[in-house]
């Protein structure tokens, strides 16, 4: 029996959690969703808002708050569903997309979490460890990746324990850092030339960052007892996510209004504003925060991959996939060390491009099935619901085709109305939700 054992490899993969193994409280979700965002990848969204998207501090503050609030509310709603069914988020998606149609979001989730986010956070942790120790970047990357993969290999209980025990250190250090950065910043000094387009792109990037956790939601609530308060689960999950992302993005935006340190290493540039002792502690916390984020990415990426129906040895299949993702993520992180900032900006927007339509389908489906018994359908390969993948694909096609505002591809609407920014995720959400809402066969068949 797995139960509450911490240093034991979690058996199986995406099967429903047995009642005997259920444990924990809703309160633990606060640090589960706070710790992984206390890192430089979060700070850098605020940096981009001012230095790249052209907003002043107060405009950036409003934009990231809106984006984070939207992503946190949906996260709380999705998290609340986990205890009752005992399965990961991507498995719950089978009712909205059908058993095989669910391959669309599950594949995107696997790539985003187990490869994309893993590479992004490994890079930020690597830069921090390099600044702290002076070790070569590649060696720092090896250390960061090794720790992440080991924790994710053991599974749910060690992942939760890691988030819990790094939380006090991360929270204290970043609280002090926040006070120091704001004491040195000049929020009213920046003019802001980004306009409405810069505001919308910033909100989209913040949403992409925060809602990027939405496909993980039930992965970390499925072990909770079935009788736990759904409201408490949603509240602690959403609040932990919102507070951590918003505060650190504001710190990032504020740091750009301080004249001083510049460096090719973004972590060094950020901590250059801090006293020496605090800079060292912040660099250590950035490295630990990257690990805290990536143990979730590897773990949930592996669960999403397993929902594709890939056959592996039962006992260790989740752990084996976690190691495989770690290897792939290491290679991509190594290749991405040279141009981390530009790649990150594009990555955040691309995440929002598919999560918006996915959320539209999932939330509408969850509304329609709020009183239905769905447990038997979650493992039934005969379940079909082509309305889900059809609506999601249409949302992506319309949103990306007409509204994308990336350097490599600009849709027709931004070409004609440049000030509109990038509202791809919003359009994708509305289109997908609307199509799925009127779809004639939302039932199991």
């Amino acid at each position: 029996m797995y139960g509450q054992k911490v240093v034991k490899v979690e058996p199986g993969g995406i099967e429903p959690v047995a009642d005997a193994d259920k444990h924990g409280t809703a309160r633990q979700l606060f640090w589960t969703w706070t710790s992984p965002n206390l890192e430089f990848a979060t700070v850098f969204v605020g940096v981009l808002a001012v230095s790249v998207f052209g907003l002043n501090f107060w405009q950036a503050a409003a934009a990231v708050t809106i984006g984070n609030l939207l992503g946190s509310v949906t996260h709380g709603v999705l998290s609340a569903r986990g205890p009752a069914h005992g399965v990961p988020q991507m498995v719950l998606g089978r009712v909205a997309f059908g058993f095989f149609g669910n391959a669309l979001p599950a594949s995107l989730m696997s790539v985003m979490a187990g490869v994309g986010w893993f590479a992004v956070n490994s890079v930020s942790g690597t830069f921090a460890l390099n600044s702290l120790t002076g070790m070569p970047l590649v060696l720092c990357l090896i250390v960061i990746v090794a720790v992440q993969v080991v924790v994710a290999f053991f599974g749910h209980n060690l992942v939760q324990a890691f988030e819990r025990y790094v939380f006090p250190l991360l929270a204290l250090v970043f609280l002090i850092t926040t006070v120091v950065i704001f004491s040195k910043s000049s929020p009213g000094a920046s003019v802001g030339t980004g306009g409405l387009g810069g505001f919308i792109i910033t909100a989209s990037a913040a949403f992409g960052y925060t809602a990027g956790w939405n496909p993980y939601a039930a992965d970390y609530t499925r072990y909770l007892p079935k009788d736990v308060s759904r409201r408490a689960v949603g509240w602690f999950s959403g609040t932990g996510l919102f507070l951590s992302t918003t505060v650190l993005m504001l710190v990032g935006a504020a740091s750009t209004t301080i004249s001083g340190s510049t460096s090719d290493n973004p972590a060094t540039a950020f901590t250059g504003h801090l006293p020496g002792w605090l800079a060292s502690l912040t660099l250590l916390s950035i490295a630990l925060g990257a690990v805290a984020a990536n143990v979730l990415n590897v773990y949930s990426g592996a669960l999403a991959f397993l929902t594709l129906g890939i056959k592996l040895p039962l006992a260790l299949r989740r752990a084996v996939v976690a190691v495989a993702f770690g290897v792939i993520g290491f290679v991509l992180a190594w290749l991405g060390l040279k141009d981390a900032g530009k790649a990150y900006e594009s990555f955040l927007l691309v995440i929002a491009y598919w999560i918006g339509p996915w959320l539209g389908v999932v939330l509408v489906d969850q509304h329609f099935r709020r009183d239905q018994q769905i447990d038997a359908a979650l493992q039934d390969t005969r379940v079909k619901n082509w309305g889900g993948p059809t609506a999601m694909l249409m949302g992506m096609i319309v949103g990306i085709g007409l509204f994308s505002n990336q350097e490599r591809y600009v849709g027709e609407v931004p070409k004609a109305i440049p000030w509109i920014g990038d509202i791809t995720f919003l359009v994708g959400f509305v289109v997908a939700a609307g199509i799925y809402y009127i779809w004639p066969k939302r039932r199991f068949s």
Side-chain angles (χ1 to χ4, degrees):
M1 188 174 73
Y2 183 52
Q4 301 185 52
K5 297 176 182 177
V6 175
V7 188
K8 179 181 179 180
V9 178
E10 180 185 359
I14 59 174
E15 302 80 12
V17 175
D19 289 341
D21 285 328
K22 284 184 169 283
H23 61 277
T25 64
R27 187 181 298 109
Q28 72 191 42
L29 297 168
F30 183 80
W31 50 73
T32 297
W33 294 113
T34 301
S35 295
N37 293 297
L38 299 179
E39 53 138 355
F40 191 69
T42 318
V43 173
F44 202 51
V45 178
V47 173
L48 289 173
V50 178
S51 62
V52 176
F53 302 143
L55 302 184
N56 64 34
F57 172 80
W58 297 109
Q59 292 169 337
V64 299
T65 299
I66 291 171
N68 292 336
L69 182 62
L70 291 174
S72 298
V73 169
T74 53
H75 192 74
V77 171
L78 296 176
S79 295
R81 206 180 188 192
H85 304 288
V87 294
Q89 187 64 52
M90 282 295 115
V91 175
L92 284 173
R94 286 173 173 171
V95 294
F97 292 89
F99 191 91
F100 293 107
N102 194 52
L104 173 63
S107 298
L108 291 169
M109 163 67 174
S110 298
V111 174
M112 179 195 74
V115 178
W117 269 122
F118 184 87
V120 166
N121 289 310
S122 293
V123 168
S124 70
T126 295
F127 276 128
L129 191 60
N130 168 258
S131 297
L132 180 64
T133 65
M135 294 191 305
L137 281 172
V138 172
L139 180 57
C140 292
L141 179 60
I142 291 172
V143 172
I144 291 291
V145 169
V147 175
Q148 293 168 165
V149 172
V150 168
V151 176
F153 178 84
F154 278 92
H156 178 273
N157 289 352
L158 185 57
V159 168
Q160 292 278 26
F162 185 86
E163 305 298 344
R164 176 182 179 181
Y165 289 115
V166 299
F167 171 72
L169 172 64
L170 296 179
L172 178 61
V173 171
F174 276 111
L175 176 61
I176 298 172
T177 299
T178 297
V179 172
V180 173
I181 291 291
F182 273 100
S183 69
K184 294 185 175 184
S185 67
S186 302
S190 54
V191 177
T193 58
L196 180 60
F199 185 92
I200 293 175
I201 288 179
T202 298
S204 298
F207 174 80
Y209 183 95
T210 303
W213 293 116
N214 287 180
Y216 306 51
D219 298 3
Y220 303 96
T221 62
R222 73 192 203 279
Y223 273 87
L224 294 176
K226 290 183 177 180
D227 60 355
V228 69
S229 167
R230 288 170 58 92
R231 180 173 296 181
V233 169
W235 172 258
F236 281 111
S237 298
T239 302
L241 188 57
F242 176 74
L243 290 177
S244 57
T245 55
T246 303
V247 170
L248 261 69
M249 288 180 193
L250 293 180
V251 172
S255 72
T256 63
T257 69
I258 306 173
S259 60
S261 173
T262 59
S263 171
D264 292 335
N265 185 322
T268 301
F270 175 69
T271 56
H273 305 305
L274 306 173
W277 64 272
L278 181 57
S280 296
L281 281 176
T282 302
L283 289 168
L284 174 62
S285 297
I286 289 172
L288 285 174
V291 174
N294 268 351
V295 295
L296 301 187
N297 288 321
V298 178
Y299 179 78
S300 287
L303 293 178
F305 183 79
L306 291 176
T307 64
L308 297 174
I310 306 298
K311 300 299 182 183
L312 293 170
L314 178 62
L316 293 176
R317 60 188 183 184
R318 181 207 50 78
V320 170
V321 175
V323 173
F325 278 156
V327 173
I328 298 171
F330 170 82
V331 174
L332 289 181
W334 182 30
L335 295 174
L337 287 172
K338 292 183 179 179
D339 190 19
K342 191 63 181 176
Y344 187 42
E345 172 192 339
S346 300
F347 180 62
L348 288 172
L349 293 174
V350 169
I351 290 173
Y353 287 179
W354 79 264
I355 286 185
W358 173 79
L359 270 175
V361 172
V362 169
L363 293 178
V364 170
D365 186 83
Q366 189 165 324
H367 169 71
F368 278 115
R369 302 193 197 283
R370 60 191 182 277
D371 297 321
Q372 292 184 16
Q373 295 296 322
I374 64 171
D375 290 342
L378 297 176
Q379 308 298 331
D380 189 346
T381 59
R382 297 169 299 176
V383 170
K384 299 181 180 66
N385 187 0
W386 295 111
T390 301
M392 181 176 170
L393 277 173
M394 289 303 298
M396 293 173 65
I397 291 170
V398 173
I400 297 171
L402 296 179
F403 292 88
S404 174
N405 198 355
Q406 295 260 10
E407 182 178 349
R408 294 186 179 181
Y409 175 73
V410 179
E412 294 304 316
V413 175
K415 284 180 182 177
I417 315 173
W419 56 262
I420 201 170
D422 193 324
I423 58 172
T424 305
F425 86 91
L426 180 60
V427 172
F429 176 89
V430 172
V431 170
I435 291 175
Y436 191 69
Y437 188 87
I438 64 175
W439 192 262
K441 293 184 179 180
R442 288 186 303 266
R443 61 183 183 274
F444 306 136
S445 60

